[in-house]
Amino acid sequence: MKSEKLKLFNDYNLYCITAEALSKGRKNIEVVEKMLKSGVKIIQYREKKKTLREKLLECEKIRQMTLDYGCIFIINDNIEIAKMVLADGVHIGQDDYPLERVREFLGDDFIIGISTHSREQLHDAHKRGADYIGVGPIFKTFTKEDVCDPVGYEYLDIAVSESKIPFVSIGGIKEDNLEEVLKRGAKCVAMVSEIVASEDIEGKIKAIMDKLSYWRDKSANSKGLC
Ligand code: 3NM
């Protein structure tokens, strides 16, 4: 059920995103397999330069793999492919189809996430019925073309206090600055280059997940004390 899946977005999880060009010669399927074996629970397929046919074939495989591991599968931009492979959701940008139209096309059971870069876009995404929002880029990133300047902690703090739906922090987040972001209230973090460009993807994910687990436990304990 969608509401069960969305709980993962509020529970100190790592949201991994593919980028074959940065993956040091490894294919997306190989990288996704490493993510799944390492226990990642949310994966987004994001490829800007491949043909629709190539994307569809990869997404069909990843759909099966993610089902086998009980992992949420989100597809960036390509709403038709998301429908064809029965992904769990899509992630769209501000310049993609209007969210209401994407909802009409995919139905209520699909998770729809949208990138936001300002308070105004955050509230707009709420009004339009997004299930979660991307909040970024928190730090400078070289992964996304034409991305705006970092929104920094200013917008992250706004998302922490004003978002009524789960949000995923993104942009330049690394193992080394992860805890700064968690300390400010983020509960789901997306990473591209830090994971896919790592020589040791499993080791990198483990180190990140250890930090996330520490914060998950800390948050559970502090709630227990209330
Ligand atoms: N979206 P990395 S930043 C895909 O701010 C994407 O909406 C962003 O890559 C946004 O983890 C970004 O390598 C790229 O910095 C994030």
Side-chain angles (χ1 to χ4, degrees):
M1 240 175 67
K2 185 163 92 172
S3 58
E4 283 302 308
K5 295 176 188 171
L6 284 170
K7 281 187 188 156
L8 289 175
F9 289 74
N10 261 337
D11 194 28
Y12 296 92
N13 273 299
L14 171 63
Y15 181 132
C16 281
I17 305 181
T18 67
E20 200 164 81
L22 302 178
S23 299
K24 302 236 156 85
R26 294 165 295 201
K27 296 277 177 212
N28 276 332
I29 299 297
E30 187 186 336
V31 169
V32 165
E33 193 162 19
K34 288 179 192 294
M35 293 169 176
L36 291 168
K37 286 194 169 147
S38 306
V40 171
K41 288 282 162 241
I42 310 169
I43 293 179
Q44 183 192 121
Y45 178 85
R46 182 176 185 273
E47 284 300 329
K48 298 286 178 186
K49 304 250 156 78
K50 297 195 181 207
T51 64
L52 287 173
R53 187 191 174 86
E54 286 169 326
K55 292 191 210 185
L56 174 64
L57 292 175
E58 279 190 326
C59 284
E60 276 173 343
K61 283 199 195 123
I62 297 174
R63 170 68 295 190
Q64 193 50 53
M65 292 161 74
T66 48
L67 282 176
D68 291 345
Y69 279 87
C71 173
I72 291 178
F73 183 36
I74 307 278
I75 295 177
N76 188 272
D77 287 353
N78 293 100
I79 64 174
E80 302 86 359
I81 296 181
K83 194 168 184 169
M84 285 191 245
V85 306
L86 295 179
D88 297 293
V90 290
H91 186 92
I92 58 174
Q94 290 290 325
D95 295 330
D96 292 322
Y97 295 130
L99 209 149
E100 297 84 344
R101 301 304 303 275
V102 177
R103 177 67 72 205
E104 267 170 42
F105 183 71
L106 292 174
D108 285 342
D109 290 344
F110 264 80
I111 295 171
I112 302 180
I114 182 166
S115 301
T116 68
H117 315 286
S118 65
R119 171 186 265 139
E120 192 191 359
Q121 290 176 355
L122 176 148
H123 289 291
D124 187 58
H126 282 64
K127 266 192 255 143
R128 290 167 178 263
D131 293 303
Y132 79 90
I133 52 172
V135 167
I138 306 292
F139 308 111
K140 182 133 192 73
T141 178
F142 299 95
T143 302
K144 186 175 183 170
E145 284 172 21
D146 305 325
V147 73
C148 59
D149 285 340
V151 296
Y153 292 139
E154 199 180 321
Y155 179 42
L156 175 59
D157 290 346
I158 291 172
V160 169
S161 59
E162 297 182 21
S163 189
K164 308 264 185 289
I165 54 176
F167 70 90
V168 179
S169 303
I170 186 165
I173 303 180
K174 313 273 173 199
E175 181 187 343
D176 289 347
N177 59 23
L178 166 66
E179 288 187 287
E180 293 304 311
V181 180
L182 298 175
K183 239 181 245 170
R184 301 191 86 94
K187 292 183 180 154
C188 189
V189 285
M191 297 185 197
V192 188
S193 51
E194 182 70 344
I195 307 291
V196 304
S198 169
E199 295 292 347
D200 174 14
I201 292 180
E202 289 98 329
K204 176 60 76 178
I205 292 175
K206 179 168 185 327
I208 290 165
M209 284 195 167
D210 283 349
K211 291 191 177 177
L212 286 161
S213 299
Y214 168 81
W215 281 82
R216 188 183 300 117
D217 292 347
K218 195 172 146 85
S219 152
N221 288 339
S222 70
K223 274 185 206 136
L225 293 174
C226 291

